[in-house]
């Protein structure tokens, strides 16, 4: 996918693409919705961005890895922090975002809404 000159560039962007749930592709395989990144005047790599719902699933999986276990096992305060973090990242703009997060946290939609409203009220 890459030549020797652009390997440091690809290595540099890989963690970002992974964090957002994207996929790296050779530039000649880019579709109309993919983003081609240029390095030193040459198409270096294409990035296929995830669908928003896939991004939320990816964020939740990353949070579980970071926490070392299921999000449902966290205490209330930690769950509130997760909800604040996800809200800052736009997770609740996704259709069924509240339901998806509630399921991952092992709480009701009402509880997620309470966490969101508590943040706005303070």
């Amino acid at each position: 996918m890459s030549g020797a000159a652009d390997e440091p560039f690809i290595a540099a962007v890989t963690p970002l693409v992974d964090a957002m749930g994207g996929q790296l592709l050779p530039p000649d395989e880019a579709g109309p919705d993919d983003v081609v990144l240029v390095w030193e005047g040459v198409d270096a790599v294409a990035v296929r961005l995830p669908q928003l719902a896939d991004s939320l699933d990816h964020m939740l999986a990353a949070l579980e890895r970071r926490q070392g276990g299921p999000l449902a096992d966290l205490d209330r305060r930690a769950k509130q922090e997760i909800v604040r973090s996800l809200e800052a990242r736009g997770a609740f703009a996704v259709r069924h975002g509240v339901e998806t997060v509630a399921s991952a946290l092992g709480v009701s939609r009402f509880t997620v809404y309470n966490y969101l409203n508590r943040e706005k009220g303070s």
Side-chain angles (χ1 to χ4, degrees):
M1 172 170 38
S2 65
D6 57 7
E7 287 178 14
F9 174 74
I10 293 171
V13 300
T14 296
L16 174 63
V17 173
D18 288 346
M20 60 186 200
Q23 177 184 5
L24 295 174
L25 306 166
D28 59 349
E29 293 181 20
D33 294 330
D34 297 331
V35 179
V36 176
L37 302 178
V38 177
W39 177 251
E40 297 182 348
V42 178
D43 292 349
V45 67
V47 178
R48 179 155 297 151
L49 300 171
Q51 299 296 317
L52 285 176
D54 294 338
S55 289
L56 179 54
D57 290 339
H58 187 80
M59 284 189 282
L60 289 167
L63 286 167
E64 280 198 339
R65 283 191 305 275
R66 197 173 308 139
Q67 296 293 328
L71 299 178
D73 293 347
L74 298 173
D75 65 22
R76 182 176 53 86
R77 185 175 305 277
K79 289 178 182 181
Q80 289 170 335
E81 287 295 322
I82 296 283
V83 168
R84 281 193 286 275
S85 169
L86 291 169
E87 182 181 28
R89 296 175 69 186
F92 301 110
V94 175
R95 184 171 185 208
H96 302 297
V98 170
E99 292 86 351
T100 300
V101 171
S103 176
L105 293 176
V107 299
S108 69
R109 291 178 342 179
F110 179 76
T111 298
V112 172
Y113 283 119
N114 276 341
Y115 292 167
L116 290 167
N117 288 334
R118 180 168 298 137
E119 178 65 18
K120 288 180 176 74
S122 56

